[in-house]
Structure formats: structure tokens, C-alpha cells
Amino acid sequence: MNPEESDVAVIGGGLVGAAIAYGLVRLGKRVVMLDEGDIAFRAARGNFGLVWVQGKGLGMPAYGAWTQLSARQWPALAESLRAESGVDVSLEQPGGLHVCLSERELEQRVATMTRMLGQPGFEGYPFETLDHAGVARYFPQIGPAVVGATHTLLDGHVNALRLFRALHAAFVALGGNYRANHGVDRIARESVGFAINAGGRRHVSVQVVLAAGLGNAKLGDQVGLTVPVRPMRGQIIALERARRFMHYPMGALRQTDEGTVLIGDSQEEAGFDTTVGTPILATMADRAQRIFPLLRDVRITRTWAALRVMSPDGFPIYEQSQAAPGAFVASCHSGVTLAAAHAFDLVPQILAGSLEPRLSAFSTERFHVSKAV
């Protein structure tokens, strides 16, 4: 059987891989997306659907800038996907709130935001501190337990399921080659690119992008990249559809365009365990009904857990292999927020054969810097 040939092979069919593959095929490249299939630990299964900037970048100003860039590019991505796939991802960017249920919680939140925005080189943006009455202007139904919130105009959300569908549909519509159930067994460097064994077939590509989430840890070794990622479990509660009462997203509570209320977002070090736990779910549900007492009468329809892709410091990893030039890795846990940056900004750098200096902060070299004694 003759090998399948492509300009770029993207390994991984989740939100990160699909956004990169879509960006590549938009530029006229022959692209194959090798997807392990539904047996994969897809972070996309647990994505909350936020396009979120607020609070991101403490400890790495470059991440704040990268996130803001993607948020600004999101309207163009939504329009492109609608035109090329026929799917409306229901992007809304009205601003967002991080709600606090105690004075201490609000003080800590404001201190964190202030410290983050005060970092040298951080691309600043205004934020507003709201008291209870201020939050009530956005959400008249809030309960008395709400003390206040921080608010920015940068945040928004999308229908995450439609986004996943739109990326895949647009990729195929533009001529992309999607291969489901093609888990990668082996990647080998060849004189003109890479030979990849996946799904019982041989694929030959000039470049390869590792976007397989937690799978990048093993795949990276085959192209000379050490990718230190680990799973972090997150649980989500979905309530039955209700009349729209939330017109602004919160960091851990939002209502979709279809009326479903989603509650998140736990952060648990549980290895590869994706089971749900009643104590965590109870805590999440209690906080949600304290924010909105009306939720006490809204039924839970389902709960589930998924695994985030976490680096040691929680920030993304973008890097080209020095041992195998042409092999790139992209790992992050904000696949929705960063989808526009991946499709429109990262892709041209991959095709150029080198990442720009502004992305150097995301190299794995940061994990090997010796600390001063």
C-alpha cells in the first residue's frame, strides 16, 4: 500500500489539533489530521466553552498577551467557521465576571488581579471591582451570599460542541484529510520529512505537529522533544434548559445559547481517573445555588469529568524540535480561548519553519532553568 502524503500531519483531533489543522488547510496546505478517536482522553469533553482572558498570565506576561490576542481574533474565527462550515458557534463577548462569596475572597481576587496586571511587560487591560449592587446590575437574580466580583470587557463564551463540529466540518470542506481511529504508533525522521505509522497505514509528511494532548508526552520522545504534561481532572454539572437569565458568563458558571446551565470547574490531581465524585459535585452545586438561589429548582441532567492537559507551571507549550526540525508541539488546557491564535497566528509560524521570539516563553527550556541560590 502506497503511503499517504501530506505537507503537514497534525496528530490529535481535539480542539487544539483541529484549530491548527483548520488554520493550515485555510492556507492551501495538504493536511492530514490523525485522530485517535473517542477512546482518547479528550480535554475537549470537559471544555467549559469560555473565551476567557480575565486573570490569565500571573507568572508569565506572555500568556496574558497571547490570550488577549486570541480573544481579539475570535470574531474573525467565528465568521470564518460559519462561512466555511455553515455552523454558527454562537460567540458572545459581552464581558465576564468572577463572582466572590466572601469579603476575603474578593480581597484576594482583587490582589491577584492587581499583582498580575502590575507585572513588568504585561499587556494591561482595565478591570472593575463590583460590590453586591454592582453585580446585581448584571444579574438581578443573584442571592445575598454574593459579596462582589471582578469584571472585564474582554471575556465571552461559545457553544463548545458546535465549535468542535465547525472546526472539523470546515477542515474537511476545505480539502483536509481527516483520519479517525488513527492512533499514532511510530514517528520516524526521514530525509524529506517524517514517516508516521497510524491506523495501520503509513503517512509521509514534510512537517508534523504534535497536538495530541496528554499523548504528547510519549509522542514527543519520538521526535526529540520532552513534553512534561500531566492530567488534571475537572468535573462539570449540566442542568436542564431554562429561560435565559444569564447574559454574561462567569468563570465557573454560564448559560449556553440553548438555555443549558453549566457549572464548573473543579481542579483535581487524580491521574487518569475520569470518574465523578459526589463531594466535589455537591460543593460545586452548593456554590452555584448560593450565587443564584433560583437554581435550587432546576434539575441536574448529567455530570461528567474530563482531563485537562497541564504543564508543570500550567502554561502552554509551543516548541520545535532541535533534533528533528519540522516537528512542532502544541499543548495547552485552553483550547477554546486559544483556538483563534492557534488557527491564525501559530499556523503561519509553523509553516515558516520557526516560532517567533514572542513565543519563546512557552518553550520547555523554562523548566530547565537553574534557580538562583
Side-chain angles (χ1 to χ4, degrees):
M1 182 182 295
N2 293 328
E4 289 191 343
E5 298 182 354
S6 61
D7 298 318
V8 188
V10 177
I11 301 176
L15 286 171
V16 175
I20 292 172
Y22 165 70
L24 289 164
V25 79
R26 283 185 77 245
L27 296 181
K29 298 301 176 181
R30 297 177 303 158
V31 185
V32 61
M33 186 181 350
L34 301 173
D35 190 1
E36 187 178 5
D38 288 338
I39 62 171
F41 287 104
R42 289 198 194 280
R45 286 182 180 143
N47 205 296
F48 208 57
L50 294 175
V51 178
W52 202 256
V53 172
Q54 183 179 163
K56 291 186 175 181
L58 182 60
M60 184 185 281
Y63 183 47
W66 187 236
T67 302
Q68 291 179 61
L69 170 66
S70 194
R72 291 192 297 267
Q73 293 178 327
W74 244 104
L77 176 62
E79 177 55 30
S80 294
L81 289 174
R82 186 201 61 75
E84 292 156 355
S85 72
V87 179
D88 182 355
V89 300
S90 298
L91 171 68
E92 297 178 12
Q93 290 181 293
L97 288 82
H98 180 100
V99 173
C100 301
L101 299 183
S102 71
E103 291 290 352
R104 178 174 175 79
E105 188 179 329
L106 182 60
E107 291 173 1
Q108 291 177 336
R109 175 65 178 178
V110 172
T112 297
M113 290 287 292
T114 302
R115 187 166 68 254
M116 180 193 70
L117 292 167
Q119 295 175 109
F122 194 92
E123 183 180 333
Y125 55 83
F127 81 93
E128 181 182 14
T129 303
L130 305 174
D131 59 12
H132 178 92
V135 178
R137 292 199 300 270
Y138 294 91
F139 301 106
Q141 303 91 343
I142 61 166
V146 175
V147 170
T150 55
H151 167 256
T152 79
L153 294 174
L154 301 173
D155 303 312
H157 57 159
V158 300
N159 186 308
L161 294 178
R162 284 197 212 140
L163 171 61
F164 191 74
R165 170 60 182 159
L167 286 169
H168 277 257
F171 173 74
V172 173
L174 293 174
N177 180 13
Y178 174 67
R179 291 295 185 181
N181 303 313
H182 272 55
V184 172
D185 301 315
R186 182 173 179 271
I187 308 172
R189 185 78 169 96
E190 294 195 340
S191 59
V192 293
F194 299 87
I196 305 164
N197 293 338
R201 295 185 65 104
R202 175 180 164 87
H203 301 263
V204 176
S205 185
V206 178
Q207 292 180 300
V208 61
V209 180
L210 308 185
L214 295 168
N216 282 345
K218 291 184 178 180
L219 292 173
D221 292 339
Q222 301 187 42
V223 293
L225 285 166
T226 300
V227 188
V229 290
R230 74 184 193 281
M232 176 179 282
R233 186 171 64 193
Q235 300 186 48
I236 293 179
I237 301 172
L239 308 183
E240 63 183 340
R241 293 181 183 179
R243 178 176 297 177
R244 193 81 182 271
F245 68 94
M246 290 187 70
H247 298 284
Y248 303 86
M250 296 179 181
L253 185 64
R254 61 178 287 254
Q255 189 174 26
T256 71
D257 60 298
E258 297 169 332
T260 300
V261 176
L262 298 176
I263 303 170
D265 65 337
S266 67
Q267 299 182 22
E268 310 160 62
E269 298 286 356
F272 286 88
D273 184 0
T274 58
T275 58
V276 297
T278 302
I280 296 293
L281 295 176
T283 298
M284 292 162 54
D286 176 69
R287 184 176 179 87
Q289 63 88 22
R290 290 174 66 199
I291 296 173
F292 289 113
L294 61 86
L295 293 179
R296 296 169 184 165
D297 300 320
V298 182
R299 292 175 294 185
I300 294 174
T301 58
R302 61 192 184 278
T303 63
W304 69 96
L307 302 179
R308 297 181 184 87
V309 181
M310 298 297 292
S311 67
D313 59 10
F315 297 121
I317 296 172
Y318 305 112
E319 190 168 358
Q320 179 174 202
S321 171
Q322 295 183 13
F328 292 82
V329 63
S331 287
C332 75
H333 65 84
S334 297
V336 170
T337 298
L338 296 177
H342 290 158
F344 295 152
D345 204 78
L346 179 62
V347 159
Q349 298 179 53
I350 291 171
L351 293 178
S354 64
L355 301 183
E356 296 175 7
R358 60 196 172 95
L359 292 188
S360 62
F362 300 108
S363 164
T364 58
E365 290 183 8
R366 70 186 191 264
F367 305 128
H368 307 299
V369 177
S370 299
K371 295 182 178 180
V373 178

